[in-house]
Amino acid sequence: MVEKIMLSDKDYEYLTKGIASGVGIGTIIGMLLQDIILGFAAGGVIGIILSFVYSYYRKAKSHKKQSC
């Protein structure tokens, strides 16, 4: 169970890139919508969620290749 929770170096890289890009895009959208704080926060959360989804997808894809 603990192995599923632990992140590899590649997962940390995806997480940091996801947070940075989400916050950047969220801030730009927040400026357009006149609510920078909401855009910043929403972008960060969306970036974290998408990076974890991508990491999970990448792990599932690699496990599928190994089993074939």
Side-chain angles (χ1 to χ4, degrees):
M1 181 67 180
V2 174
E3 292 83 23
K4 291 184 180 182
I5 297 173
M6 294 179 61
L7 297 175
S8 67
D9 290 337
K10 214 50 162 160
D11 292 334
Y12 280 122
E13 182 181 339
Y14 293 135
L15 180 62
T16 56
K17 288 180 181 178
I19 292 171
S21 60
V23 165
I25 292 170
T27 302
I28 292 170
I29 292 173
M31 286 183 352
L32 296 174
L33 298 175
Q34 303 293 318
D35 198 354
I36 297 174
I37 297 172
L38 177 64
F40 181 87
V45 170
I46 291 171
I48 291 170
I49 291 170
L50 290 179
S51 66
F52 277 121
V53 168
Y54 181 71
S55 292
Y56 179 76
Y57 168 75
R58 195 176 59 86
K59 284 182 184 179
K61 187 177 174 183
S62 69
H63 287 300
K64 186 176 180 182
K65 280 186 178 180
Q66 290 176 356
S67 66
C68 290

Short mmCIF file of all heavy atoms in Angstrom, two decimals:
data_model
loop_
_atom_site.label_atom_id
_atom_site.label_comp_id
_atom_site.label_asym_id
_atom_site.label_seq_id
_atom_site.Cartn_x
_atom_site.Cartn_y
_atom_site.Cartn_z
N MET A 1 0.83 -1.20 0.00
CA MET A 1 0.00 0.00 0.00
C MET A 1 0.87 1.26 0.00
O MET A 1 0.56 2.21 -0.69
CB MET A 1 -0.93 -0.04 1.22
CG MET A 1 -1.84 1.12 1.31
SD MET A 1 -3.02 1.06 -0.05
CE MET A 1 -3.96 2.48 0.27
N VAL A 2 1.95 1.23 0.76
CA VAL A 2 2.82 2.40 0.85
C VAL A 2 3.49 2.67 -0.50
O VAL A 2 3.71 3.82 -0.88
CB VAL A 2 3.87 2.20 1.96
CG1 VAL A 2 4.87 3.34 1.98
CG2 VAL A 2 3.19 2.09 3.30
N GLU A 3 3.78 1.60 -1.26
CA GLU A 3 4.43 1.77 -2.56
C GLU A 3 3.53 2.54 -3.53
O GLU A 3 4.02 3.24 -4.42
CB GLU A 3 4.79 0.42 -3.17
CG GLU A 3 5.89 -0.32 -2.44
CD GLU A 3 5.36 -1.09 -1.25
OE1 GLU A 3 4.16 -1.43 -1.23
OE2 GLU A 3 6.14 -1.35 -0.32
N LYS A 4 2.22 2.40 -3.40
CA LYS A 4 1.31 3.12 -4.29
C LYS A 4 1.26 4.61 -3.96
O LYS A 4 0.97 5.42 -4.82
CB LYS A 4 -0.10 2.53 -4.17
CG LYS A 4 -0.21 1.16 -4.76
CD LYS A 4 -1.64 0.66 -4.70
CE LYS A 4 -1.76 -0.72 -5.29
NZ LYS A 4 -3.13 -1.21 -5.28
N ILE A 5 1.55 4.97 -2.72
CA ILE A 5 1.49 6.36 -2.30
C ILE A 5 2.79 7.09 -2.62
O ILE A 5 2.78 8.28 -2.92
CB ILE A 5 1.16 6.45 -0.78
CG1 ILE A 5 -0.20 5.84 -0.51
CG2 ILE A 5 1.21 7.88 -0.31
CD1 ILE A 5 -0.52 5.72 0.95
N MET A 6 3.91 6.40 -2.55
CA MET A 6 5.21 7.03 -2.75
C MET A 6 5.37 7.53 -4.19
O MET A 6 4.90 6.89 -5.12
CB MET A 6 6.33 6.05 -2.41
CG MET A 6 6.37 5.69 -0.94
SD MET A 6 7.65 4.52 -0.54
CE MET A 6 9.10 5.40 -1.00
N LEU A 7 6.04 8.65 -4.35
CA LEU A 7 6.25 9.24 -5.66
C LEU A 7 7.70 9.04 -6.09
O LEU A 7 8.62 9.15 -5.28
CB LEU A 7 5.94 10.74 -5.64
CG LEU A 7 4.51 11.14 -5.32
CD1 LEU A 7 4.41 12.65 -5.22
CD2 LEU A 7 3.57 10.62 -6.38
N SER A 8 7.88 8.79 -7.36
CA SER A 8 9.23 8.68 -7.89
C SER A 8 9.74 10.08 -8.27
O SER A 8 9.00 11.06 -8.19
CB SER A 8 9.24 7.76 -9.12
OG SER A 8 8.53 8.37 -10.18
N ASP A 9 10.99 10.14 -8.68
CA ASP A 9 11.55 11.42 -9.09
C ASP A 9 10.81 11.98 -10.29
O ASP A 9 10.58 13.18 -10.40
CB ASP A 9 13.04 11.27 -9.43
CG ASP A 9 13.89 11.01 -8.20
OD1 ASP A 9 13.43 11.37 -7.09
OD2 ASP A 9 14.99 10.46 -8.36
N LYS A 10 10.41 11.10 -11.20
CA LYS A 10 9.66 11.54 -12.39
C LYS A 10 8.29 12.08 -11.98
O LYS A 10 7.82 13.06 -12.54
CB LYS A 10 9.53 10.35 -13.33
CG LYS A 10 9.54 10.63 -14.78
CD LYS A 10 10.67 11.49 -15.23
CE LYS A 10 10.84 11.34 -16.72
NZ LYS A 10 11.57 12.44 -17.28
N ASP A 11 7.66 11.44 -10.98
CA ASP A 11 6.35 11.91 -10.51
C ASP A 11 6.47 13.29 -9.87
O ASP A 11 5.59 14.13 -10.03
CB ASP A 11 5.76 10.92 -9.51
CG ASP A 11 5.37 9.60 -10.16
OD1 ASP A 11 5.09 9.60 -11.36
OD2 ASP A 11 5.36 8.58 -9.44
N TYR A 12 7.56 13.51 -9.12
CA TYR A 12 7.78 14.84 -8.54
C TYR A 12 7.97 15.89 -9.63
O TYR A 12 7.50 17.01 -9.51
CB TYR A 12 9.01 14.84 -7.62
CG TYR A 12 8.74 14.28 -6.25
CD1 TYR A 12 9.46 13.20 -5.78
CD2 TYR A 12 7.78 14.83 -5.43
CE1 TYR A 12 9.23 12.67 -4.52
CE2 TYR A 12 7.53 14.32 -4.17
CZ TYR A 12 8.26 13.24 -3.72
OH TYR A 12 8.02 12.73 -2.48
N GLU A 13 8.65 15.50 -10.68
CA GLU A 13 8.86 16.43 -11.80
C GLU A 13 7.52 16.79 -12.44
O GLU A 13 7.25 17.96 -12.72
CB GLU A 13 9.79 15.78 -12.83
CG GLU A 13 10.10 16.67 -14.00
CD GLU A 13 11.00 15.99 -15.01
OE1 GLU A 13 11.70 15.02 -14.66
OE2 GLU A 13 11.00 16.45 -16.17
N TYR A 14 6.68 15.78 -12.68
CA TYR A 14 5.35 16.05 -13.26
C TYR A 14 4.51 16.91 -12.32
O TYR A 14 3.76 17.78 -12.76
CB TYR A 14 4.62 14.76 -13.58
CG TYR A 14 5.24 13.95 -14.69
CD1 TYR A 14 5.41 12.59 -14.56
CD2 TYR A 14 5.66 14.55 -15.86
CE1 TYR A 14 5.98 11.84 -15.56
CE2 TYR A 14 6.24 13.82 -16.88
CZ TYR A 14 6.40 12.46 -16.72
OH TYR A 14 6.96 11.72 -17.72
N LEU A 15 4.62 16.64 -11.01
CA LEU A 15 3.85 17.41 -10.04
C LEU A 15 4.27 18.87 -10.03
O LEU A 15 3.42 19.76 -10.05
CB LEU A 15 4.01 16.80 -8.64
CG LEU A 15 3.27 17.49 -7.50
CD1 LEU A 15 1.77 17.45 -7.75
CD2 LEU A 15 3.60 16.83 -6.18
N THR A 16 5.57 19.15 -10.02
CA THR A 16 6.03 20.54 -10.01
C THR A 16 5.67 21.26 -11.29
O THR A 16 5.26 22.42 -11.27
CB THR A 16 7.53 20.63 -9.77
OG1 THR A 16 8.22 19.86 -10.75
CG2 THR A 16 7.89 20.15 -8.39
N LYS A 17 5.79 20.57 -12.42
CA LYS A 17 5.42 21.19 -13.69
C LYS A 17 3.91 21.44 -13.76
O LYS A 17 3.46 22.45 -14.29
CB LYS A 17 5.86 20.33 -14.87
CG LYS A 17 7.34 20.35 -15.09
CD LYS A 17 7.73 19.48 -16.25
CE LYS A 17 9.23 19.48 -16.45
NZ LYS A 17 9.64 18.60 -17.56
N GLY A 18 3.12 20.50 -13.20
CA GLY A 18 1.68 20.67 -13.18
C GLY A 18 1.24 21.84 -12.31
O GLY A 18 0.37 22.62 -12.69
N ILE A 19 1.86 21.98 -11.14
CA ILE A 19 1.53 23.10 -10.25
C ILE A 19 1.91 24.43 -10.91
O ILE A 19 1.12 25.37 -10.92
CB ILE A 19 2.22 22.95 -8.89
CG1 ILE A 19 1.64 21.76 -8.13
CG2 ILE A 19 2.07 24.21 -8.06
CD1 ILE A 19 2.41 21.40 -6.88
N ALA A 20 3.13 24.48 -11.45
CA ALA A 20 3.60 25.73 -12.06
C ALA A 20 2.75 26.14 -13.25
O ALA A 20 2.35 27.31 -13.38
CB ALA A 20 5.06 25.59 -12.47
N SER A 21 2.46 25.20 -14.13
CA SER A 21 1.65 25.56 -15.30
C SER A 21 0.21 25.88 -14.90
O SER A 21 -0.40 26.80 -15.45
CB SER A 21 1.70 24.44 -16.34
OG SER A 21 1.19 23.25 -15.80
N GLY A 22 -0.34 25.13 -13.94
CA GLY A 22 -1.71 25.40 -13.50
C GLY A 22 -1.85 26.76 -12.86
O GLY A 22 -2.80 27.50 -13.12
N VAL A 23 -0.88 27.12 -12.02
CA VAL A 23 -0.92 28.43 -11.36
C VAL A 23 -0.74 29.55 -12.39
O VAL A 23 -1.42 30.57 -12.33
CB VAL A 23 0.16 28.49 -10.25
CG1 VAL A 23 0.39 29.92 -9.79
CG2 VAL A 23 -0.26 27.63 -9.08
N GLY A 24 0.16 29.33 -13.34
CA GLY A 24 0.37 30.35 -14.38
C GLY A 24 -0.86 30.57 -15.23
O GLY A 24 -1.29 31.71 -15.45
N ILE A 25 -1.44 29.50 -15.70
CA ILE A 25 -2.65 29.61 -16.53
C ILE A 25 -3.81 30.14 -15.70
O ILE A 25 -4.60 30.98 -16.17
CB ILE A 25 -2.99 28.24 -17.16
CG1 ILE A 25 -1.92 27.86 -18.18
CG2 ILE A 25 -4.37 28.26 -17.81
CD1 ILE A 25 -2.02 26.44 -18.69
N GLY A 26 -3.92 29.68 -14.45
CA GLY A 26 -4.99 30.16 -13.57
C GLY A 26 -4.88 31.65 -13.28
O GLY A 26 -5.88 32.35 -13.21
N THR A 27 -3.66 32.14 -13.14
CA THR A 27 -3.46 33.57 -12.89
C THR A 27 -3.86 34.39 -14.10
O THR A 27 -4.50 35.43 -13.97
CB THR A 27 -1.98 33.83 -12.53
OG1 THR A 27 -1.65 33.06 -11.38
CG2 THR A 27 -1.75 35.30 -12.22
N ILE A 28 -3.50 33.91 -15.29
CA ILE A 28 -3.89 34.63 -16.51
C ILE A 28 -5.40 34.65 -16.67
O ILE A 28 -6.00 35.69 -16.97
CB ILE A 28 -3.19 34.00 -17.73
CG1 ILE A 28 -1.69 34.25 -17.66
CG2 ILE A 28 -3.77 34.55 -19.03
CD1 ILE A 28 -0.88 33.49 -18.67
N ILE A 29 -6.03 33.50 -16.45
CA ILE A 29 -7.50 33.45 -16.54
C ILE A 29 -8.13 34.32 -15.45
O ILE A 29 -9.13 35.00 -15.68
CB ILE A 29 -7.99 32.00 -16.47
CG1 ILE A 29 -7.56 31.25 -17.74
CG2 ILE A 29 -9.50 31.92 -16.30
CD1 ILE A 29 -7.84 29.77 -17.72
N GLY A 30 -7.52 34.30 -14.26
CA GLY A 30 -8.02 35.14 -13.17
C GLY A 30 -7.93 36.62 -13.49
O GLY A 30 -8.80 37.40 -13.10
N MET A 31 -6.87 37.03 -14.20
CA MET A 31 -6.76 38.44 -14.61
C MET A 31 -7.87 38.80 -15.59
O MET A 31 -8.43 39.89 -15.52
CB MET A 31 -5.40 38.70 -15.24
CG MET A 31 -4.29 38.75 -14.23
SD MET A 31 -2.62 39.13 -14.82
CE MET A 31 -2.67 39.12 -16.56
N LEU A 32 -8.19 37.87 -16.48
CA LEU A 32 -9.25 38.14 -17.45
C LEU A 32 -10.63 38.19 -16.79
O LEU A 32 -11.50 38.94 -17.23
CB LEU A 32 -9.25 37.07 -18.55
CG LEU A 32 -8.00 37.02 -19.43
CD1 LEU A 32 -8.06 35.82 -20.36
CD2 LEU A 32 -7.84 38.31 -20.21
N LEU A 33 -10.82 37.40 -15.74
CA LEU A 33 -12.10 37.35 -15.05
C LEU A 33 -12.18 38.29 -13.85
O LEU A 33 -13.15 38.26 -13.10
CB LEU A 33 -12.39 35.92 -14.58
CG LEU A 33 -12.52 34.87 -15.68
CD1 LEU A 33 -12.69 33.49 -15.07
CD2 LEU A 33 -13.68 35.20 -16.61
N GLN A 34 -11.12 39.08 -13.63
CA GLN A 34 -11.06 40.05 -12.55
C GLN A 34 -11.05 39.41 -11.16
O GLN A 34 -11.53 40.00 -10.19
CB GLN A 34 -12.24 41.04 -12.64
CG GLN A 34 -12.34 41.80 -13.94
CD GLN A 34 -11.19 42.77 -14.13
OE1 GLN A 34 -10.80 43.42 -13.19
NE2 GLN A 34 -10.66 42.83 -15.34
N ASP A 35 -10.53 38.18 -11.05
CA ASP A 35 -10.41 37.51 -9.76
C ASP A 35 -9.13 36.67 -9.77
O ASP A 35 -9.16 35.45 -9.95
CB ASP A 35 -11.62 36.64 -9.47
CG ASP A 35 -11.75 36.28 -8.01
OD1 ASP A 35 -10.84 36.61 -7.23
OD2 ASP A 35 -12.78 35.67 -7.65
N ILE A 36 -8.00 37.33 -9.55
CA ILE A 36 -6.70 36.68 -9.66
C ILE A 36 -6.51 35.62 -8.59
O ILE A 36 -5.97 34.54 -8.86
CB ILE A 36 -5.57 37.73 -9.61
CG1 ILE A 36 -5.68 38.67 -10.79
CG2 ILE A 36 -4.21 37.07 -9.57
CD1 ILE A 36 -4.71 39.83 -10.77
N ILE A 37 -6.95 35.87 -7.39
CA ILE A 37 -6.76 34.92 -6.29
C ILE A 37 -7.49 33.61 -6.57
O ILE A 37 -6.95 32.52 -6.37
CB ILE A 37 -7.21 35.54 -4.95
CG1 ILE A 37 -6.33 36.75 -4.62
CG2 ILE A 37 -7.16 34.51 -3.84
CD1 ILE A 37 -6.80 37.54 -3.43
N LEU A 38 -8.72 33.69 -7.05
CA LEU A 38 -9.48 32.49 -7.38
C LEU A 38 -8.82 31.73 -8.52
O LEU A 38 -8.70 30.50 -8.49
CB LEU A 38 -10.92 32.84 -7.76
CG LEU A 38 -11.80 31.67 -8.19
CD1 LEU A 38 -11.98 30.71 -7.03
CD2 LEU A 38 -13.12 32.17 -8.70
N GLY A 39 -8.37 32.44 -9.55
CA GLY A 39 -7.69 31.79 -10.66
C GLY A 39 -6.40 31.11 -10.24
O GLY A 39 -6.09 30.00 -10.67
N PHE A 40 -5.63 31.77 -9.37
CA PHE A 40 -4.39 31.21 -8.85
C PHE A 40 -4.66 29.92 -8.09
O PHE A 40 -4.02 28.89 -8.32
CB PHE A 40 -3.71 32.24 -7.93
CG PHE A 40 -2.42 31.79 -7.34
CD1 PHE A 40 -1.24 31.98 -8.03
CD2 PHE A 40 -2.38 31.20 -6.09
CE1 PHE A 40 -0.03 31.58 -7.48
CE2 PHE A 40 -1.19 30.80 -5.54
CZ PHE A 40 0.00 30.99 -6.23
N ALA A 41 -5.62 29.96 -7.18
CA ALA A 41 -5.94 28.79 -6.36
C ALA A 41 -6.53 27.66 -7.20
O ALA A 41 -6.11 26.49 -7.06
CB ALA A 41 -6.91 29.18 -5.26
N ALA A 42 -7.46 27.98 -8.06
CA ALA A 42 -8.09 26.95 -8.90
C ALA A 42 -7.06 26.33 -9.85
O ALA A 42 -7.06 25.12 -10.07
CB ALA A 42 -9.25 27.54 -9.68
N GLY A 43 -6.20 27.15 -10.42
CA GLY A 43 -5.17 26.63 -11.31
C GLY A 43 -4.21 25.70 -10.60
O GLY A 43 -3.80 24.68 -11.14
N GLY A 44 -3.83 26.04 -9.37
CA GLY A 44 -2.95 25.17 -8.60
C GLY A 44 -3.59 23.82 -8.30
O GLY A 44 -2.96 22.77 -8.45
N VAL A 45 -4.85 23.85 -7.90
CA VAL A 45 -5.56 22.60 -7.58
C VAL A 45 -5.73 21.76 -8.84
O VAL A 45 -5.49 20.54 -8.82
CB VAL A 45 -6.92 22.91 -6.93
CG1 VAL A 45 -7.77 21.66 -6.82
CG2 VAL A 45 -6.73 23.53 -5.56
N ILE A 46 -6.13 22.38 -9.93
CA ILE A 46 -6.30 21.64 -11.18
C ILE A 46 -4.97 21.08 -11.66
O ILE A 46 -4.90 19.95 -12.15
CB ILE A 46 -6.97 22.53 -12.24
CG1 ILE A 46 -8.41 22.80 -11.83
CG2 ILE A 46 -6.91 21.90 -13.62
CD1 ILE A 46 -9.12 23.84 -12.67
N GLY A 47 -3.89 21.84 -11.50
CA GLY A 47 -2.57 21.34 -11.88
C GLY A 47 -2.15 20.13 -11.07
O GLY A 47 -1.58 19.18 -11.61
N ILE A 48 -2.42 20.13 -9.77
CA ILE A 48 -2.09 18.99 -8.92
C ILE A 48 -2.90 17.77 -9.33
O ILE A 48 -2.36 16.67 -9.49
CB ILE A 48 -2.34 19.33 -7.43
CG1 ILE A 48 -1.32 20.36 -6.96
CG2 ILE A 48 -2.28 18.08 -6.57
CD1 ILE A 48 -1.63 20.94 -5.59
N ILE A 49 -4.20 17.95 -9.53
CA ILE A 49 -5.06 16.83 -9.90
C ILE A 49 -4.64 16.24 -11.24
O ILE A 49 -4.52 15.01 -11.39
CB ILE A 49 -6.54 17.27 -9.92
CG1 ILE A 49 -7.01 17.56 -8.49
CG2 ILE A 49 -7.42 16.20 -10.57
CD1 ILE A 49 -8.36 18.23 -8.42
N LEU A 50 -4.39 17.09 -12.23
CA LEU A 50 -4.01 16.58 -13.56
C LEU A 50 -2.64 15.90 -13.54
O LEU A 50 -2.43 14.91 -14.24
CB LEU A 50 -4.03 17.71 -14.58
CG LEU A 50 -5.40 18.24 -14.95
CD1 LEU A 50 -5.29 19.38 -15.97
CD2 LEU A 50 -6.28 17.14 -15.51
N SER A 51 -1.72 16.39 -12.73
CA SER A 51 -0.42 15.73 -12.67
C SER A 51 -0.52 14.36 -12.01
O SER A 51 0.16 13.42 -12.44
CB SER A 51 0.60 16.61 -11.95
OG SER A 51 0.25 16.76 -10.60
N PHE A 52 -1.35 14.21 -10.99
CA PHE A 52 -1.54 12.89 -10.39
C PHE A 52 -2.25 11.93 -11.34
O PHE A 52 -1.93 10.75 -11.40
CB PHE A 52 -2.29 12.99 -9.06
CG PHE A 52 -1.40 13.33 -7.91
CD1 PHE A 52 -1.64 14.46 -7.15
CD2 PHE A 52 -0.33 12.52 -7.57
CE1 PHE A 52 -0.82 14.78 -6.09
CE2 PHE A 52 0.50 12.84 -6.51
CZ PHE A 52 0.25 13.97 -5.76
N VAL A 53 -3.23 12.44 -12.10
CA VAL A 53 -3.90 11.60 -13.08
C VAL A 53 -2.91 11.14 -14.14
O VAL A 53 -2.90 9.96 -14.52
CB VAL A 53 -5.09 12.36 -13.72
CG1 VAL A 53 -5.62 11.62 -14.94
CG2 VAL A 53 -6.19 12.55 -12.70
N TYR A 54 -2.05 12.03 -14.61
CA TYR A 54 -1.06 11.67 -15.61
C TYR A 54 -0.05 10.67 -15.06
O TYR A 54 0.32 9.71 -15.75
CB TYR A 54 -0.33 12.91 -16.13
CG TYR A 54 0.68 12.58 -17.20
CD1 TYR A 54 0.26 12.19 -18.46
CD2 TYR A 54 2.04 12.64 -16.94
CE1 TYR A 54 1.18 11.86 -19.44
CE2 TYR A 54 2.97 12.32 -17.90
CZ TYR A 54 2.53 11.93 -19.16
OH TYR A 54 3.46 11.60 -20.11
N SER A 55 0.38 10.84 -13.82
CA SER A 55 1.32 9.90 -13.20
C SER A 55 0.68 8.52 -13.06
O SER A 55 1.33 7.49 -13.32
CB SER A 55 1.76 10.40 -11.84
OG SER A 55 2.55 11.53 -11.96
N TYR A 56 -0.58 8.48 -12.67
CA TYR A 56 -1.28 7.21 -12.54
C TYR A 56 -1.41 6.53 -13.90
O TYR A 56 -1.19 5.34 -14.04
CB TYR A 56 -2.66 7.41 -11.91
CG TYR A 56 -3.44 6.14 -11.78
CD1 TYR A 56 -3.14 5.22 -10.79
CD2 TYR A 56 -4.48 5.85 -12.65
CE1 TYR A 56 -3.85 4.04 -10.66
CE2 TYR A 56 -5.19 4.67 -12.55
CZ TYR A 56 -4.89 3.77 -11.55
OH TYR A 56 -5.58 2.61 -11.44
N TYR A 57 -1.75 7.31 -14.92
CA TYR A 57 -1.88 6.79 -16.29
C TYR A 57 -0.54 6.22 -16.76
O TYR A 57 -0.48 5.15 -17.36
CB TYR A 57 -2.36 7.89 -17.23
CG TYR A 57 -2.26 7.53 -18.68
CD1 TYR A 57 -3.16 6.65 -19.27
CD2 TYR A 57 -1.26 8.09 -19.48
CE1 TYR A 57 -3.06 6.32 -20.60
CE2 TYR A 57 -1.15 7.77 -20.81
CZ TYR A 57 -2.05 6.88 -21.37
OH TYR A 57 -1.94 6.55 -22.70
N ARG A 58 0.54 6.94 -16.48
CA ARG A 58 1.87 6.51 -16.90
C ARG A 58 2.27 5.21 -16.19
O ARG A 58 2.83 4.31 -16.82
CB ARG A 58 2.89 7.61 -16.60
CG ARG A 58 4.22 7.44 -17.29
CD ARG A 58 5.11 8.63 -17.02
NE ARG A 58 5.37 8.82 -15.60
CZ ARG A 58 6.34 8.20 -14.93
NH1 ARG A 58 7.13 7.39 -15.55
NH2 ARG A 58 6.51 8.43 -13.65
N LYS A 59 1.95 5.10 -14.91
CA LYS A 59 2.25 3.87 -14.17
C LYS A 59 1.42 2.70 -14.69
O LYS A 59 1.92 1.59 -14.84
CB LYS A 59 1.99 4.06 -12.68
CG LYS A 59 3.04 4.86 -11.97
CD LYS A 59 2.73 4.96 -10.49
CE LYS A 59 3.73 5.85 -9.80
NZ LYS A 59 3.45 5.98 -8.37
N ALA A 60 0.15 2.93 -14.96
CA ALA A 60 -0.72 1.86 -15.47
C ALA A 60 -0.26 1.41 -16.84
O ALA A 60 -0.27 0.21 -17.16
CB ALA A 60 -2.16 2.35 -15.52
N LYS A 61 0.18 2.33 -17.66
CA LYS A 61 0.65 2.00 -18.99
C LYS A 61 1.94 1.18 -18.93
O LYS A 61 2.11 0.23 -19.67
CB LYS A 61 0.88 3.29 -19.78
CG LYS A 61 1.22 3.08 -21.22
CD LYS A 61 1.35 4.42 -21.93
CE LYS A 61 1.83 4.26 -23.34
NZ LYS A 61 2.03 5.55 -24.00
N SER A 62 2.84 1.53 -18.01
CA SER A 62 4.10 0.79 -17.88
C SER A 62 3.86 -0.61 -17.32
O SER A 62 4.53 -1.55 -17.70
CB SER A 62 5.10 1.56 -17.03
OG SER A 62 4.70 1.59 -15.69
N HIS A 63 2.89 -0.75 -16.39
CA HIS A 63 2.58 -2.06 -15.86
C HIS A 63 1.95 -2.95 -16.93
O HIS A 63 2.17 -4.17 -16.95
CB HIS A 63 1.65 -1.98 -14.65
CG HIS A 63 2.33 -1.47 -13.41
ND1 HIS A 63 3.40 -2.11 -12.85
CD2 HIS A 63 2.08 -0.39 -12.64
CE1 HIS A 63 3.78 -1.45 -11.78
NE2 HIS A 63 3.00 -0.39 -11.64
N LYS A 64 1.18 -2.36 -17.82
CA LYS A 64 0.55 -3.12 -18.89
C LYS A 64 1.61 -3.62 -19.86
O LYS A 64 1.53 -4.76 -20.32
CB LYS A 64 -0.47 -2.25 -19.62
CG LYS A 64 -1.28 -2.99 -20.64
CD LYS A 64 -2.32 -2.09 -21.26
CE LYS A 64 -3.13 -2.84 -22.28
NZ LYS A 64 -4.12 -1.99 -22.93
N LYS A 65 2.61 -2.80 -20.16
CA LYS A 65 3.68 -3.22 -21.05
C LYS A 65 4.50 -4.36 -20.45
O LYS A 65 4.94 -5.26 -21.14
CB LYS A 65 4.62 -2.05 -21.37
CG LYS A 65 4.10 -1.13 -22.41
CD LYS A 65 5.16 -0.11 -22.77
CE LYS A 65 4.68 0.81 -23.85
NZ LYS A 65 5.69 1.81 -24.20
N GLN A 66 4.73 -4.30 -19.13
CA GLN A 66 5.53 -5.33 -18.47
C GLN A 66 4.82 -6.66 -18.42
O GLN A 66 5.44 -7.71 -18.45
CB GLN A 66 5.89 -4.89 -17.05
CG GLN A 66 6.87 -3.76 -17.01
CD GLN A 66 7.14 -3.28 -15.59
OE1 GLN A 66 6.53 -3.76 -14.65
NE2 GLN A 66 8.03 -2.32 -15.45
N SER A 67 3.50 -6.67 -18.35
CA SER A 67 2.75 -7.92 -18.25
C SER A 67 2.61 -8.62 -19.60
O SER A 67 2.34 -9.81 -19.65
CB SER A 67 1.37 -7.67 -17.64
OG SER A 67 0.59 -6.89 -18.52
N CYS A 68 2.78 -7.90 -20.69
CA CYS A 68 2.65 -8.51 -22.02
C CYS A 68 3.87 -9.28 -22.43
O CYS A 68 4.92 -9.21 -22.15
CB CYS A 68 2.36 -7.45 -23.08
SG CYS A 68 0.71 -6.80 -22.91
#
